[in-house]
Amino acid sequence: WIGEYSEMDYMNAMDKILQANNRLRPPRGMSFREGDIANSYMRSAITCPGNACLWPKSVDGFVYVPYIVSPLYDNMDRITIETGMQDISVDTCVKFVPRTHEGSFLDIQPRYGCWSYLGQTGGSQVLSLQSPGCMWSGVASHELMHALGFVHEQSRSDRDHYVTIMWKNILPDRIHNFQKQATNNLNTAYDYSSVMHYGRYAFSGDGGPTIVPKPNPYIPIGQRDGPSLLDLHKINTLYNC
């Protein structure tokens, strides 16, 4: 499926995630959509009435997201994960803090593949970053943004104005990953450089592109360096920073 993105130098964060998740089979009682968003059969965070799936804002104006990190990670892995957190926290009101006693928190584990639930689910919330397959700070930021409540950029309700989905090039059993969602786009521009954007060849069955920007088909899409300026703006807008 990865086509021309087999070279590490050309992979964006989502390409890396899909490579790690290529043979991912969800545990019993779970499913995955769009390649890396975990779903409990009892709950779907894609519909989140009244922003109930957002992490709460403290009286001081910050949004504190408690987390624990598995002791199975080595020091370099922890640095990578913490860099992904810092890339979000430095310019937003969202702050990732080590858990003390909080009932709801992220439990970051080196499970098989890279995946996260969408928004806050309550209680101990697993976020998987396999080592070494998911160990890019941009991948960590990507999964953390899912945990904050963001879907993939090309899933936006207005995406057809900005990209063409090449349905004929998509693996038949992966077409469902390209459905639009009823998203709140926060009055923000479509972001081709979002760390949440699929790569050009995601889930390609024949080596051809599955996503083509418009009007300029040569616009780069996605990247792996971390949240874009628009990603950070959207976090601040969603959480009313």
Side-chain angles (χ1 to χ4, degrees), residues 14 17-18 21 24 31-39 46 114-115 118 142-143 146 150-156 159 173-183 196-198 202-203:
M14 193 64 200
I17 289 166
L18 294 183
N21 292 0
L24 182 62
S31 62
F32 291 93
R33 65 172 180 267
E34 299 185 16
D36 69 330
I37 300 176
N39 231 7
I46 199 69
C114 328
W115 51 266
L118 189 62
H142 180 108
E143 299 304 338
H146 281 320
F150 290 92
V151 295
H152 296 117
E153 188 72 2
Q154 79 289 332
S155 296
R156 284 173 53 138
R159 65 104 183 273
D173 62 346
R174 294 294 183 266
I175 285 177
H176 61 278
N177 288 327
F178 289 82
Q179 301 304 316
K180 288 186 293 186
Q181 307 293 343
T183 52
M196 305 304 288
H197 209 300
Y198 271 16
F203 298 108

Side-chain angles (χ1 to χ4, degrees), residues 60-85:
D60 63 6
F62 290 104
V63 176
Y64 295 105
V65 180
Y67 70 91
I68 61 175
V69 175
S70 169
L72 297 176
Y73 288 114
D74 64 24
N75 189 54
M76 288 304 300
D77 291 340
R78 293 182 68 93
I79 290 172
T80 298
I81 293 166
E82 289 168 1
T83 300
M85 293 178 176

Side-chain angles (χ1 to χ4, degrees), residues 9 70 100 110 136 147 154 160 174 186 192 196 204 208 228 234:
D9 288 346
S70 169
T100 54
W136 285 359
Q154 79 289 332
D160 291 335
R174 294 294 183 266
L186 305 170
Y192 296 103
M196 305 304 288
S204 176
S228 68
K234 285 184 287 190

Side-chain angles (χ1 to χ4, degrees), residues 201-241:
Y201 296 90
F203 298 108
S204 176
D206 60 3
T210 55
I211 302 175
V212 177
K214 55 172 134 175
N216 179 0
Y218 299 106
I219 295 173
I221 54 175
Q223 41 85 17
R224 69 190 198 187
D225 296 329
S228 68
L229 291 177
L230 264 177
D231 285 330
L232 297 172
H233 173 68
K234 285 184 287 190
I235 293 171
N236 283 327
T237 301
L238 181 62
Y239 282 91
N240 194 25
C241 294

